[in-house]
Amino acid sequence: MVKSYLKFEPSKSFGVVASSSSNIVWSSKDKTKSSAGQAVVAANEEVLVWDIKKGELLSRWKEENNRALVTAIAQSKTDPDLFAVGYENGSIRIWDSKIATSVVSFNGHKSAVTILAFDRTGVRLASGSKDTDVIVWDLVAEVGQYKLRGHKDQVTGLRFIEPEPVVQEEDGEQALMAVGNEGAEGFLLTTGKDSLIKLWDLSSRHCIETHVAQSNGECWALGVSPDLSGCVTAGNDGEMKVWALDVVALAASAQRVDLSQSVNFLHDRGTLHRSSKERAVEVIFHPRRDYFAVHGVEKNVEVWRIRTESEVKKSLARKKKRRKEKLAKDKKGADVDMEDEGADDINKAEISDVFAQHVIVRTTGKVRSVDWAIQQGSKDLQLLVGSTNNLLELYTIVGKDKLKSKTDVADYNKALGVDLPGHRTDVRSLSLSSDDKMLASAANGSLKIWNVKTQVCIRTFECGYALCCAFLPGDKVVVVGTKEGELQLYDVASAALLESVNAHEGHAIWALQVHPDGKSVVSGGADKAAKFWDFKIVQEQVLGTTRTTPKLKLVQSRILKVSDDILSLKFSPDSKLLAVSLLDSTVKVFFVDSLKLYLNLYGHKLPVLSMDISFDSKLIITSSADKNIRIWGLDFGDCHKALFGHQDSILQVAFIPHNSDGNGHHFFSASKDRTIKYWDGDKFEQIQRIDGHHGEIWALAISHAGNFLVSASHDKSIRVWEETDEQIFLEEEREKELEELYESTLTTSLEQDADAQDENREVAAASKQTVETLMAGERIAEALELGLEDLNVVKEWEVAKASNPNLAPPQRHAIFMALGNITAEQYVMNTLSKIKASALHDALLVLPFASVPMLFTFLNLFALRSMNIPLTCRILFFMLKTHHKQIVSSRTMRQMLDGIRVNLRQALRKQKDEMGYNIAALRVVGMQIEERSVKGFVDENWEEEEKQKKEVRKRAFASLS
């Protein structure tokens, strides 16, 4: 009989505050003004929404079958509930934050999405990727419109430039230029790592302007001012370039056809230098005030201020005065007329006079991303900072208007932070309590106790660089071994450090284990010794009194000296043996009572990093940096099997701790290759590969009941994998792995063929073949064959029925009967309409040309019966565009097209009449409502004030001309 195993599935993931793979977005949700808003951040493959004030997790956006990292997030300007999220595999999903579900998904990029931007109306989305392409997506039709090619390296900045309708005065009368009309698609500004800044005209879909953005190599960030009057690009060595954008000329150009090549809309205004020499990561403008934040991958954020017009004029006047004073000195008191020159033009000002560094915000960790938080009623600036060390912080910065005097330096303070739900550094060790309800995780600088069921952090302790930890019997105390050679005892209930023992004189403690009887613990370190410690309750005197209190102490009882550093230790469950792995790649097994050597296990080429002994003390497994797992017998020390387990060092192995279902010899291994594998130690076979982590897996802990395991990784996440009732058969698992491998190579090979023709063109189709589109294409082909067959059967029956009226109905295919005796065309239409709009074009590309006549037969029937006309038109036009040459050269196809044209025109004319009638009716209703409504009053001064505010912003980027 074939042996079946139970499958382990991912159930929980926690410990991540914010991943450094993506940017962060601040969002204001609640109407009450007390809250500090919400932070929308990436957490590996999920998106988390945090309440910044309470530090609580509000929502978790997760797609069941998605394992790719989140690499970019953007919020829609018109609908604050809509977020676009880009992933490492090039896919994009639109999430509705109200219901925490993905509404639309797009596939078009070959590699990670680096940046996303919505347009002003929120109906288009632009995405830039590491594959150097920019794709514009239509969110209403749910399709990719086109792909823009021009950059030679990854796209680092992206922004829609949609100028407002411009008011021009002609002969004393105001004339409105219709720039914001439906015809104009606007412009797109992009920057790339290839150091180019490009301006694209989206109406004609080509690049109208290209400049070299940075003089010293790559361009890493782009920030555009809220009024679109200019932008800042940032690159290496702390260099930032300021560009003026002539929006008025750009708006006017949208109306003209004959653009002369000499017109430049982007003008270089000069270079600014940051105080840091690191490469920049982001430039983010404040949406409402004249500030922008810029940062690299260091522990600070620079906030720059755009000076007001009066400040710039004062600065220019001061400079002129100094110049004249110097001139006067040079001329030794010669008479100099100070008033002969007019006030300097603000447009001629150097860029360093216009932009001033406001403050440098020093942060706790290295900054990955920032976003401005806009509080209702708050005068101060607020900056949300996401760090690379799993941390979110909100800083309050004092604005220029709050400073008392000119010499005052702007102050800032950390207002709020989300830090408790995760470690700052990688978790190096995990330990489960005896009832499997609590989990201890130890990292460099912190030890945390978690409730496994609710994933809430119960306690946080500060500790040294922890390398190993364990719960002591009773689950009230946790012992931690550190890199500094200390054993530290922490009391979970009182959240206090009970004792710290310098156990290994400054040498790292690589391993510790509690004796199976629970009365002692053994620690092994880099000082080539294993030390045995007994737990003793000592009566300690309270200072200044005669009273005593009981205190838990560690007392060294024995010591075992070995020839090399100890990397791992394990007691056998029957308490008779102690296995010790050494840096010389050997494992030595000693008797616990006499500490005499029992067995020497040779075989690994590199040091053994972890080992475990089975419940019956008969097997020992060792895992090594040589990527192998070895299974040994503990009776003679013979190697039963060497398994090539992983693609990198195997950091942890662990047996299931009991034998309830005959699985006592099953074990798990975790590696630097980011996978966990489940093995059968008797048959020497891999049962299951568990994927999910995005970094090397440092620690592994199996529950005492054996029904779940916990793993901790470099991606900062702690994941729980639970045993399910689903059975695994080894043959099926192998087949599934081979299928996955085949599918991944299949889609990549298809991609290379399809894109060869578009390689040298600036604009291309936004398509990408995935397994989903291939399957959809197969479904269409199958439906067409079934449908055509059925059409022929029905046609023959109708011909026969003409001569024999009492003829019984034909025997149709079982599928049609099962679906309620539907017609063939209805079946094909159902198949087509079930395919996602974003995958339809790619699915149609899968069809061979031989099935195009079949498809056109059905398109003709759809047009004749007015079935889903928008979809019919979309399929028809796409197929005509794709197979144009073949269709034109085929006489039968041309005749088919004539029929389709007649039927389609009739259907469209009917729809057009209906729509026209409805629009006219709505206009009448609108006029009636308007007549009854109250006349609106307009504040006349309001427009003037708004205009002045805009002018103040624009002067910073004003053109040199």
Side-chain angles (χ1 to χ4, degrees):
M1 187 184 149
V2 179
K3 188 173 180 187
S4 67
Y5 305 88
L6 292 179
K7 192 173 189 180
F8 278 80
E9 289 276 4
S11 73
K12 304 179 186 101
S13 172
F14 55 96
V16 184
V17 176
S19 291
S20 57
S21 60
S22 162
N23 62 314
I24 61 171
V25 173
W26 181 88
S27 161
S28 155
K29 274 291 151 68
D30 60 335
K31 302 291 178 277
T32 59
K33 293 175 184 179
S34 61
S35 170
Q38 299 173 359
V40 181
V41 300
N44 297 319
E45 74 278 9
E46 306 174 326
V47 177
L48 303 181
V49 182
W50 293 99
D51 183 318
I52 301 167
K53 193 170 188 178
K54 296 177 186 170
E56 284 177 6
L57 182 63
L58 299 172
S59 175
R60 187 188 286 269
W61 308 346
K62 188 180 181 183
E63 193 93 313
E64 197 63 40
N65 51 5
N66 170 51
R67 290 217 182 103
L69 279 171
V70 173
T71 52
I73 305 173
Q75 185 179 19
S76 169
K77 297 180 183 74
T78 46
D79 183 357
D81 291 325
L82 275 193
F83 288 84
V85 179
Y87 295 84
E88 195 179 33
N89 59 2
S91 64
I92 299 164
R93 288 181 179 82
I94 309 295
W95 291 85
D96 186 337
S97 61
K98 270 185 186 163
I99 49 175
T101 42
S102 155
V103 194
V104 187
S105 67
F106 295 122
N107 255 311
H109 290 292
K110 292 191 191 74
S111 53
V113 176
T114 51
I115 190 144
L116 293 164
F118 282 93
D119 74 344
R120 195 174 60 208
T121 53
V123 296
R124 283 180 302 169
L125 173 74
S127 61
S129 163
K130 279 188 178 173
D131 64 7
T132 75
D133 293 338
V134 174
I135 299 183
V136 179
W137 307 90
D138 183 340
L139 299 182
V140 180
E142 299 182 8
V143 290
Q145 290 186 317
Y146 45 86
K147 192 183 278 187
L148 298 171
R149 291 196 165 126
H151 285 289
K152 296 287 177 276
D153 208 331
Q154 77 176 60
V155 180
T156 55
L158 195 66
R159 181 70 191 265
F160 277 98
I161 307 292
E162 296 166 286
E164 296 277 352
V166 184
V167 176
Q168 285 192 339
E169 294 198 9
E170 292 174 6
D171 305 330
E173 288 182 13
Q174 288 195 342
L176 185 72
M177 282 176 61
V179 175
N181 66 354
E182 293 80 39
E185 289 187 29
F187 301 86
L188 192 68
L189 192 64
T190 62
T191 55
K193 196 176 152 190
D194 54 5
S195 86
L196 298 180
I197 180 167
K198 285 176 170 282
L199 186 63
W200 304 81
D201 183 345
L202 297 182
S203 301
S204 59
R205 299 179 188 178
H206 76 290
C207 180
I208 54 173
E209 208 170 310
T210 304
H211 297 272
V212 176
Q214 303 303 129
S215 57
N216 57 1
E218 297 125 346
C219 172
W220 281 102
L222 166 73
V224 180
S225 69
D227 60 355
L228 309 179
S229 59
C231 63
V232 174
T233 59
N236 298 333
D237 301 334
E239 180 192 72
M240 293 192 294
K241 262 204 181 160
V242 183
W243 301 84
L245 184 59
D246 195 344
V247 190
V248 179
L250 205 58
S253 77
Q255 304 304 107
R256 285 165 45 205
V257 182
D258 57 331
L259 269 184
S260 59
Q261 286 301 309
S262 58
V263 178
N264 269 0
F265 303 112
L266 273 173
H267 304 281
D268 187 353
R269 285 284 281 117
T271 307
L272 298 169
H273 289 281
R274 292 163 52 220
S275 56
S276 155
K277 291 289 175 216
E278 286 279 332
R279 78 164 174 87
V281 174
E282 282 182 325
V283 176
I284 308 275
F285 274 83
H286 195 288
R288 295 182 190 168
R289 294 170 72 178
D290 293 336
Y291 294 88
F292 71 85
V294 57
H295 68 88
V297 224
E298 65 271 319
K299 289 187 176 183
N300 61 59
V301 181
E302 293 180 32
V303 178
W304 289 70
R305 188 171 61 84
I306 308 170
R307 288 177 169 156
T308 60
E309 203 164 336
S310 58
E311 280 183 282
V312 177
K313 279 182 178 168
K314 275 181 192 170
S315 168
L316 289 176
R318 263 201 311 276
K319 278 192 175 177
K320 191 169 31 167
K321 192 178 176 185
R322 279 200 209 106
R323 228 175 20 248
K324 299 218 164 173
E325 279 174 4
K326 194 178 175 194
L327 206 67
K329 268 186 189 173
D330 291 349
K331 289 189 175 182
K332 293 190 174 64
D335 216 9
V336 177
D337 184 11
M338 302 275 292
E339 300 302 317
D340 60 348
E341 285 182 47
D344 244 6
D345 183 11
I346 188 167
N347 291 356
K348 302 283 196 306
E350 283 181 27
I351 203 67
S352 54
D353 293 333
V354 182
F355 290 87
Q357 198 177 71
H358 182 58
V359 68
I360 297 177
V361 178
R362 308 277 173 198
T363 58
T364 315
K366 287 185 175 177
V367 183
R368 166 57 185 91
S369 177
V370 301
D371 198 12
W372 292 101
I374 299 123
Q375 294 288 123
Q376 291 293 328
S378 170
K379 290 284 173 68
D380 289 332
L381 300 164
Q382 288 196 313
L383 191 67
L384 179 66
V385 177
S387 309
T388 55
N389 64 347
N390 202 21
L391 183 65
L392 282 174
E393 294 172 312
L394 187 72
Y395 288 90
T396 304
I397 303 163
V398 178
K400 173 75 172 140
D401 44 359
K402 284 276 191 77
L403 299 179
K404 303 268 190 313
S405 68
K406 288 179 185 175
T407 52
D408 275 7
V409 180
D411 195 16
Y412 66 89
N413 67 302
K414 181 181 161 185
L416 298 161
V418 181
D419 56 354
L420 281 182
H423 287 278
R424 302 288 74 79
T425 50
D426 290 4
V427 174
R428 294 303 297 267
S429 177
L430 292 171
S431 176
L432 281 160
S433 60
S434 58
D435 58 3
D436 294 333
K437 286 183 179 173
M438 285 192 293
L439 173 76
S441 60
N444 178 5
S446 61
L447 166 73
K448 284 180 183 284
I449 312 294
W450 307 83
N451 179 331
V452 177
K453 194 178 179 184
T454 61
Q455 301 116 58
V456 174
C457 179
I458 311 165
R459 291 275 183 272
T460 300
F461 304 94
E462 280 186 18
C463 66
Y465 193 138
L467 295 173
C468 47
C469 70
F471 271 100
L472 297 190
D475 302 330
K476 291 191 170 64
V477 179
V478 178
V479 59
V480 173
T482 69
K483 205 170 185 178
E484 295 80 34
E486 289 188 346
L487 278 177
Q488 298 173 334
L489 291 176
Y490 292 95
D491 183 11
V492 177
S494 64
L497 172 66
L498 294 177
E499 192 189 11
S500 182
V501 181
N502 189 0
H504 289 258
E505 288 92 35
H507 295 91
I509 299 175
W510 290 109
L512 61 83
Q513 213 204 353
V514 179
H515 192 282
D517 68 5
K519 292 177 183 171
S520 64
V521 64
V522 62
S523 62
D527 59 352
K528 303 177 185 177
K531 295 186 178 179
F532 295 80
W533 307 84
D534 290 339
F535 306 128
K536 290 271 167 56
I537 303 292
V538 180
Q539 295 294 329
E540 204 173 64
Q541 192 173 347
V542 179
L543 283 172
T545 66
T546 52
R547 286 187 296 114
T548 58
T549 56
K551 198 173 180 190
L552 181 70
K553 288 269 187 190
L554 288 177
V555 180
Q556 188 179 328
S557 58
R558 295 188 292 172
I559 185 165
L560 168 66
K561 295 271 188 189
V562 287
S563 59
D564 216 330
D565 294 11
I566 294 174
L567 297 180
S568 178
L569 294 162
K570 266 289 178 294
F571 279 110
S572 63
D574 63 7
S575 319
K576 289 179 183 170
L577 304 171
L578 173 69
V580 179
S581 82
L582 305 181
L583 197 62
D584 62 6
S585 309
T586 64
V587 174
K588 291 183 165 42
V589 184
F590 297 91
F591 289 108
V592 173
D593 48 7
S594 62
L595 295 185
K596 292 260 175 70
L597 182 65
Y598 169 48
L599 293 169
N600 249 327
L601 309 178
Y602 296 102
H604 283 290
K605 295 181 180 69
L606 290 168
V608 171
L609 304 174
S610 174
M611 55 190 180
D612 200 9
I613 298 173
S614 63
F615 77 102
D616 53 8
S617 306
K618 285 183 180 171
L619 291 182
I620 178 168
I621 44 168
T622 56
S623 72
S624 161
D626 63 11
K627 308 174 193 173
N628 283 315
I629 300 166
R630 281 178 181 263
I631 303 167
W632 317 74
L634 267 179
D635 37 11
F636 304 110
D638 54 325
C639 180
H640 290 185
K641 187 75 174 172
L643 300 164
F644 179 71
H646 290 266
Q647 302 301 316
D648 209 332
S649 303
I650 303 168
L651 301 171
Q652 292 285 331
V653 281
F655 270 113
I656 285 178
H658 59 75
N659 191 31
S660 63
D661 304 317
N663 57 0
H665 286 177
H666 297 178
F667 63 90
F668 291 92
S669 62
S671 162
K672 270 190 177 177
D673 69 3
R674 308 174 180 191
T675 62
I676 300 169
K677 289 187 178 177
Y678 184 25
W679 305 85
D680 185 333
D682 291 327
K683 292 193 168 182
F684 317 127
E685 284 189 295
Q686 180 190 319
I687 301 167
Q688 187 189 353
R689 192 184 78 203
I690 304 171
D691 296 304
H693 278 293
H694 299 280
E696 50 264 37
I697 300 163
W698 291 112
L700 200 65
I702 297 182
S703 66
H704 296 83
N707 57 350
F708 71 86
L709 76 143
V710 188
S711 58
S713 159
H714 172 64
D715 63 16
K716 303 287 191 296
S717 70
I718 300 169
R719 290 170 194 255
V720 180
W721 315 84
E722 283 186 357
E723 191 178 48
T724 60
D725 295 331
E726 190 185 336
Q727 288 190 326
I728 291 181
F729 295 97
L730 298 185
E731 290 296 317
E732 285 178 16
E733 279 297 299
R734 295 300 87 79
E735 277 175 26
K736 204 159 66 174
E737 281 176 24
L738 284 170
E739 263 176 37
E740 278 174 19
L741 191 67
Y742 170 67
E743 282 171 359
S744 63
T745 51
L746 178 71
T747 49
T748 47
S749 64
L750 272 171
E751 266 312 302
Q752 286 158 0
D753 300 344
D755 261 15
Q757 59 192 23
D758 293 330
E759 207 56 57
N760 301 319
R761 284 166 40 191
E762 199 175 49
V763 63
S767 66
K768 181 188 177 186
Q769 288 293 357
T770 61
V771 176
E772 185 191 8
T773 59
L774 290 177
M775 283 163 69
E778 284 170 10
R779 282 202 303 275
I780 295 173
E782 197 180 313
L784 288 174
E785 282 172 20
L786 274 177
L788 200 67
E789 196 181 300
D790 189 71
L791 281 181
N792 292 335
V793 168
V794 173
K795 202 173 184 182
E796 283 169 17
W797 174 72
E798 281 171 353
V799 171
K801 197 183 177 190
S803 56
N804 182 8
N806 299 325
L807 192 67
Q811 186 63 43
R812 299 177 71 203
H813 197 283
I815 286 181
F816 298 113
M817 306 308 287
L819 292 169
N821 206 12
I822 59 170
T823 59
E825 58 268 29
Q826 187 60 56
Y827 174 67
V828 175
M829 175 51 82
N830 290 351
T831 308
L832 289 165
S833 51
K834 275 177 193 165
I835 296 165
K836 286 181 187 168
S838 51
L840 183 63
H841 284 183
D842 292 322
L844 290 169
L845 284 173
V846 175
L847 295 179
F849 184 69
S851 44
V852 173
M854 287 151 65
L855 181 63
F856 274 39
T857 307
F858 283 102
L859 288 176
N860 191 18
L861 288 168
F862 298 157
L864 189 65
R865 305 208 162 88
S866 296
M867 292 165 70
N868 199 340
I869 293 297
L871 182 64
T872 305
C873 292
R874 205 179 137 201
I875 295 169
L876 176 66
F877 300 148
F878 178 73
M879 295 313 277
L880 285 173
K881 201 163 72 177
T882 311
H883 301 291
H884 180 253
K885 286 177 183 169
Q886 292 95 319
I887 291 169
V888 169
S889 59
S890 161
R891 188 175 295 167
T892 51
M893 293 290 285
R894 285 211 300 270
Q895 286 171 349
M896 281 176 102
L897 280 175
D898 281 337
I900 293 174
R901 184 178 62 181
V902 172
N903 292 331
L904 202 55
R905 280 197 172 168
Q906 280 177 354
L908 286 170
R909 193 175 292 119
K910 189 182 168 191
Q911 286 202 347
K912 188 183 170 189
D913 292 344
E914 270 179 27
M915 286 163 94
Y917 182 83
N918 290 340
I919 289 168
L922 285 169
R923 279 204 188 115
V924 172
V925 173
M927 281 154 67
Q928 287 172 351
I929 291 168
E930 212 171 295
E931 276 173 19
R932 291 186 197 137
S933 66
V934 183
K935 294 285 181 285
F937 293 95
V938 180
D939 183 357
E940 289 172 4
N941 301 331
W942 177 77
E943 275 187 348
E944 281 298 313
E945 285 169 14
E946 282 297 305
K947 207 171 179 184
Q948 281 173 4
K949 278 182 191 172
K950 278 192 178 176
E951 283 304 313
V952 169
R953 272 189 185 159
K954 275 184 187 169
R955 94 266 140 200
F957 299 100
S959 164
L960 285 164
S961 53

